[in-house]
C-alpha cells in the first residue's frame, strides 16, 4: 500500500525553497528521480512512487518550504540537494534560451 505524504501548510515566516521556479509547469519526474537515488532499488521505486504522486511539476517542488522538503524521502541533506537540483535545472533553461537566441540570430544574419 502506498503511503501518501501530507504536506504541511506554508507558515507566514517560511519562504518557498526556490521562488524563481514556483510557477514552472515542466514535469519534475527526472529531478525527483535523482533526489530519490542512494537507496536500494525497491526502496527507491517506493520513494519515487510516493513523491511522484504528490509532486508533479518543477513548480510543485520549488514551491515547497524547507520544513515541507524534510517530509519527503530525499537524499540528505534534503534542502541542500533540492536547491542544488533546481539550480542546475534553472541554469539549463538559461543555456537552452541562449542557444535558441544564437540560432535565431545566425539564421537572420545568414
Amino acid at each position: 500500500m502506498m503511503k501518501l505524504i501530507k504536506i504541511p501548510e506554508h507558515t507566514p515566516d517560511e519562504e518557498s525553497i526556490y521562488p524563481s521556479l514556483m510557477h514552472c509547469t515542466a514535469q519534475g519526474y527526472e529531478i525527483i528521480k535523482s533526489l530519490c537515488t542512494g537507496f536500494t532499488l525497491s526502496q527507491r521505486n517506493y520513494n519515487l512512487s510516493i513523491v511522484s504522486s504528490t509532486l508533479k511539476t518543477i513548480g510543485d517542488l520549488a514551491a515547497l518550504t524547507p520544513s515541507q522538503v524534510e517530509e519527503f524521502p530525499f537524499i540528505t541533506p534534503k534542502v541542500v540537494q533540492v536547491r542544488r537540483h533546481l539550480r542546475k535545472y534553472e541554469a539549463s533553461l538559461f543555456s537552452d534560451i541562449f542557444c535558441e537566441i544564437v540560432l535565431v540570430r545566425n539564421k537572420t544574419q545568414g
Side-chain angles (χ1 to χ4, degrees), residues 26 61 70 84:
L61 183 60
E70 292 298 330
R84 189 180 113 233

Side-chain angles (χ1 to χ4, degrees), residues 11-83:
T11 57
D13 59 330
E14 272 194 300
E15 188 174 309
S16 299
I17 196 159
Y18 212 88
S20 62
L21 290 176
M22 281 178 47
H23 302 291
C24 180
T25 57
Q27 294 299 310
Y29 183 79
E30 289 303 316
I31 288 179
I32 291 167
K33 186 169 96 174
S34 64
L35 288 166
C36 289
T37 60
F39 300 98
T40 64
L41 185 59
S42 61
Q43 184 64 42
R44 177 182 175 204
N45 290 338
Y46 177 72
N47 290 349
L48 193 54
S49 66
I50 291 170
V51 176
S52 295
S53 67
T54 308
L55 304 173
K56 303 286 186 207
T57 66
I58 299 292
D60 292 341
L61 183 60
L64 296 174
T65 64
S67 61
Q68 290 172 325
V69 169
E70 292 298 330
E71 297 293 318
F72 287 90
F74 295 145
I75 52 178
T76 57
K78 295 177 182 185
V79 172
V80 171
Q81 291 292 336
V82 171
R83 282 189 178 135

Side-chain angles (χ1 to χ4, degrees), residues 70-110:
E70 292 298 330
E71 297 293 318
F72 287 90
F74 295 145
I75 52 178
T76 57
K78 295 177 182 185
V79 172
V80 171
Q81 291 292 336
V82 171
R83 282 189 178 135
R84 189 180 113 233
H85 281 78
L86 289 172
R87 191 176 310 114
K88 285 171 63 175
Y89 175 79
E90 187 177 49
S92 74
L93 289 178
F94 287 122
S95 175
D96 291 347
I97 290 169
F98 179 74
C99 287
E100 288 292 323
I101 291 170
V102 169
L103 287 173
V104 168
R105 180 178 282 169
N106 288 342
K107 283 182 181 179
T108 59
Q109 291 176 354

